[in-house]
Amino acid sequence: MPGPGDPERSSSPSSEARASQPRAPRSRPAWLHRPRGRRALVLKVALAGIAVLALIIAVWPDDDTHGGHGGPADNKRASSVLPSPSPIYPISSLPRTIPSVREHRPARGPGFRPVDSSRVIVAVGSESLTDEGKLLAQELGVDYATGGQPREGDIELALAPPAKGQKAAPESYTLTTRDRRVRITGPDDAGVFYGTRTLKQALKGGGVMPEGVVEDRPDKPQRGLNLDIARKHYSAAWIEDQLRQMADLKLNQLGLHFSDDQGFRIESSSHPEVVSRDHLSKREVQRIVALATKLHITVVPEIDSPGHLGAVLAAHPGLQLRDKDGKPVRGAIDIANPESGRIVDDLLREYADLFPGAYWHLGGDEYQALAVKAPTTPETVFPSLVAAARAKYGPKADIEDLATGWLNDRAAALRSAGPGRTFKAWNDGFFPGGKVAADQGREVEYWTGKEAGERAPEEYLAEGRPLVNLNDEYLYYVLGEPGSYKYPTGKRIYEEWTPSVVRGTKPVDAKYAGQILGGRFAVWSDNPGAQTEEQVARGIRLPLRATAQKLWDTRTPAMDWEEFKALADRLG
């Protein structure tokens, strides 16, 4: 379905012929001020020639676009019998983008600006890039075509396999600016798409794409935003706006935590009784997922269990966990009751087709049966859970085994609805030793090590587990700032955090860098009324941009914070 940036028409090679016919001027974005075709170029050359003849010395105006064309490398004496001299361009500068490009090979030349005759062309054989081409054409206010020979002012998109003997880097791209044209190639659609984001930002921030070649790729394969829509209802339009901003920042995951104690926020046909009054319809979710897919963003759904199920338990109080004295435990479902697994599996299977992406988050955090503090023990407070564990897994099994088996069973239910998913769980949903082990491929989403007894990230990494970083010291934006939480700042993330800083402020050993798959900046809605949607958007703007920079390129940034902030303000 056409996204908000997709033109409603399509083109073919005949578009080149139509481009030469008179047509109404295309609207252009307010931020893009481009010369009006070759007339502007001719006028510029003519004025330069007059200046040469009048002053004898050829003086070429400076350009403040940090790349593209600028003043000459040297001035030469002009002769009235010679034609106007050709400009001698300075070496181009690095394009200014967020995240920064990894490598730019500069060159002399005018760079690229769209003109009225510009087109976005998808090369023959690369038709899967149609969405990317149409989106860029819409954003720049230029024509779109499939096939045809690129000419001055055009942007060509093409898939290109790696050189023989080399391995393609996923999401990588090459952007070549030469002869007032741009060519973007990559081994996959996502890489070419990210090349278009670089071009868009360079034009928006500096008015020109500098001459030369950009070679770019991400350091981390998982880069994203995690959004708690369970405790606070966010409109579909607001979520879609976040997706568009994420795409420009080359982020590729949106985590949706849509079930918690305070709310269950997606329409359900299997269990409508658990759904909160304010929620997303399935049609709205389909629209969100479709837009995300067009923007190369995977939506990662999460029904958190066996804790954080208060909204489900409000409709099914008989499934709530109770201690030995019969006291109910807030948010915790009784994992010894087979009916508990049935209702959660109903919901998981129902949403399996709604979220067809490669990942599913199982939750697993803060199950209160395992949060009993000394001198008491979980076994003495919840003897029914111990009995269920030993009945299912043997005489030495305990509540941790039962909790691990719970998540394994939920993963099995999802596999039965459709194979091929990778599962995630919060770090406090993994337990060492025991009779039951979590699937080895399950990814650890590490969020906290502040609570007593929490395992260090090195323990999971030493077990060979892949890990995704959601360090609550830097990456948690918790509405209302409850407890010790403070709203994170972009400056602190930019200057201190890297994907290897998983717990607190110290990085893990460099030998584990390859197991850390990336990270997500997380918005948690603990006090939903503390901020409006607009305030949340403003509050996360700079932290999210800093996170995007550090996930794309884990090296120390070349710009200082004030330069980065000024660029972020310029790009919007």
Side-chain angles (χ1 to χ4, degrees), residues 225-226 228 234 471-472 474-482 485-489 521-526 531-532 534-541 543:
L225 170 67
N226 208 74
D228 170 14
Y234 292 87
N471 184 343
D472 65 347
Y474 291 94
L475 305 180
Y476 262 37
Y477 191 95
V478 186
L479 298 195
E481 300 183 312
Y485 286 110
K486 299 297 179 185
Y487 292 129
T489 67
F521 184 84
V523 177
W524 295 102
S525 307
D526 290 42
Q531 290 191 340
T532 65
E534 292 75 16
Q535 288 172 323
V536 173
R538 288 197 300 269
I540 69 174
R541 189 180 70 86

Side-chain angles (χ1 to χ4, degrees), residues 321-325 336 377-390 399:
L321 177 67
R322 297 177 180 272
D323 66 13
K324 62 182 177 60
D325 298 322
T377 66
E379 288 72 24
T380 58
V381 178
F382 299 100
S384 63
L385 296 183
V386 177
R390 291 175 178 172
I399 299 177

Side-chain angles (χ1 to χ4, degrees), residues 74-111:
D74 57 76
N75 294 328
K76 297 181 180 180
R77 295 186 62 85
S79 169
S80 60
V81 299
L82 295 176
S84 297
S86 298
I88 301 175
Y89 298 99
I91 291 292
S92 60
S93 301
L94 186 78
R96 308 282 274 184
T97 63
I98 297 176
S100 301
V101 301
R102 297 183 67 85
E103 179 184 348
H104 176 246
R105 297 196 295 275
R108 296 185 187 275

Side-chain angles (χ1 to χ4, degrees), residues 346-369:
D346 286 346
L347 293 165
L348 292 172
R349 291 190 184 102
E350 177 183 357
Y351 296 121
D353 291 336
L354 192 62
F355 296 102
Y359 298 95
W360 195 286
H361 204 305
L362 299 170
D365 64 310
E366 297 184 316
Y367 188 50
Q368 293 305 304

Side-chain angles (χ1 to χ4, degrees), residues 224-381:
L225 170 67
N226 208 74
L227 186 60
D228 170 14
I229 66 171
R231 283 173 274 201
K232 180 181 179 66
H233 173 64
Y234 292 87
S235 67
W238 188 88
I239 296 171
E240 289 168 351
D241 188 56
Q242 299 311 304
L243 285 170
R244 296 183 192 100
Q245 294 189 49
M246 290 171 61
D248 282 354
L249 296 171
K250 302 183 176 73
L251 297 173
N252 64 3
Q253 280 188 354
L254 174 67
L256 280 186
H257 175 93
F258 64 90
S259 172
D260 211 301
D261 296 340
Q262 295 85 347
F264 191 102
R265 300 292 180 178
I266 295 179
E267 173 190 356
S268 171
S269 56
S270 67
H271 291 282
E273 73 279 1
V274 308
V275 180
S276 302
R277 182 187 63 182
D278 295 326
H279 63 272
L280 297 173
S281 69
K282 287 187 178 180
R283 185 177 295 274
E284 287 175 317
V285 174
Q286 287 169 342
R287 195 176 75 200
I288 288 167
V289 172
L291 175 61
T293 301
K294 279 177 176 280
L295 300 175
H296 298 277
I297 296 170
T298 299
V299 179
V300 183
E302 179 193 0
I303 297 178
D304 199 352
S305 77
H308 293 280
L309 281 173
V312 172
L313 294 172
H316 296 273
L319 300 180
Q320 190 163 15
L321 177 67
R322 297 177 180 272
D323 66 13
K324 62 182 177 60
D325 298 322
K327 182 179 178 181
V329 181
R330 183 175 185 265
I333 203 165
D334 183 359
I335 58 178
N337 188 337
E339 184 65 14
S340 297
R342 186 190 67 79
I343 191 172
V344 175
D345 287 350
D346 286 346
L347 293 165
L348 292 172
R349 291 190 184 102
E350 177 183 357
Y351 296 121
D353 291 336
L354 192 62
F355 296 102
Y359 298 95
W360 195 286
H361 204 305
L362 299 170
D365 64 310
E366 297 184 316
Y367 188 50
Q368 293 305 304
L370 295 170
V372 175
K373 296 181 180 179
T376 58
T377 66
E379 288 72 24
T380 58
V381 178

